[in-house]
Amino acid sequence: EHKFQVSGQVEGAKDSTLLVLEVSSNGNWFVVDSAMTDSKGAFRFAEDAPEFPNIYRVRLDEKSIYFPVDSIDQLTINAKFKAFDTDYSIDGSDHAKQVMKIDKDAMKYAGGSTPEQMKTWKTQLSRQILTDPSGIVAYYIINKYINGSPLFDPLNDNDMKIIGAVAN
């Protein structure tokens, strides 16, 4: 079958906890499917593989875990119910692991960082982008927001060069 799968477990979830699988389209989120956890917190989604790589998320109430899907990926997500969007792991795809690391770093920097720490992190991300500017992870990075502001700001000349590398 030409499907991708996302399965896993939400530790501490009650039987029939609702999880929603959503896909990104130009900054908007659309519901693809929903699933209920079983008595052990296990869940599974199986959907038609996308024609091109895209960003998806699994949402539990207002908390989300983001990941890219490229074709017939088989991803495993393990999370804790009370800290669904902060205490989780993803396995099955190097790109999904990269997005997980970016999101966890973003949480760290959003919680308080010096301008120098943020600059160092953005330099590291810029290098990552330039190694594969047409990849889904690069696209994810340039569209990432922290505390309501774009991580790579199109009004900043230096950031615009990185955004331009991805856009080309």
Side-chain angles (χ1 to χ4, degrees), residues 71-72 94:
S71 189
I72 56 171
D94 287 339

Side-chain angles (χ1 to χ4, degrees), residues 4 31 61 67 78 113 115:
F4 74 91
V31 174
D61 295 328
F67 52 91
N78 291 300
S113 61

Side-chain angles (χ1 to χ4, degrees), residues 146-168:
I146 296 181
N147 295 331
S149 297
L151 178 58
F152 284 87
D153 186 352
L155 299 177
N156 176 301
D157 289 340
N158 289 328
D159 288 358
M160 192 58 198
K161 291 175 187 174
I162 299 299
I163 294 168
V166 175
N168 287 331

Side-chain angles (χ1 to χ4, degrees), residues 78-141:
N78 291 300
K80 301 226 168 124
F81 179 79
K82 290 187 178 183
F84 185 75
D85 59 347
T86 58
D87 194 358
Y88 68 93
S89 65
I90 297 178
D91 213 359
S93 155
D94 287 339
H95 289 151
K97 287 179 184 179
Q98 289 172 19
V99 166
M100 177 183 66
K101 181 177 182 336
I102 291 162
D103 282 346
K104 289 186 176 195
D105 286 348
M107 286 181 258
K108 179 176 70 175
Y109 291 110
S113 61
T114 66
E116 187 59 39
Q117 290 171 322
M118 184 61 82
K119 182 179 177 184
T120 300
W121 183 50
K122 281 181 63 173
T123 299
Q124 292 170 352
L125 291 175
S126 296
R127 287 188 193 119
Q128 182 176 351
I129 288 169
L130 294 175
T131 61
D132 185 13
S134 64
I136 190 67
V137 175
Y139 171 81
Y140 183 76
I141 293 169

Side-chain angles (χ1 to χ4, degrees), residues 10-79:
V10 181
E11 184 182 314
K14 296 177 181 162
D15 191 18
S16 300
T17 296
L18 177 66
L19 298 174
V20 179
L21 178 66
E22 297 175 321
V23 64
S24 175
S25 179
N26 295 324
N28 296 308
W29 292 97
F30 296 94
V31 174
V32 176
D33 198 2
S34 63
M36 299 285 200
T37 57
D38 67 14
S39 61
K40 295 180 182 177
F43 67 92
R44 182 178 178 273
F45 296 101
E47 296 298 323
D48 290 336
E51 293 179 29
F52 52 88
N54 207 346
I55 301 296
Y56 289 77
R57 70 182 181 186
V58 172
R59 184 171 48 81
L60 170 64
D61 295 328
E62 298 302 314
K63 298 176 180 178
S64 299
I65 297 173
Y66 298 84
F67 52 91
V69 171
D70 181 8
S71 189
I72 56 171
D73 290 335
Q74 293 191 16
L75 303 174
T76 303
I77 297 174
N78 291 300

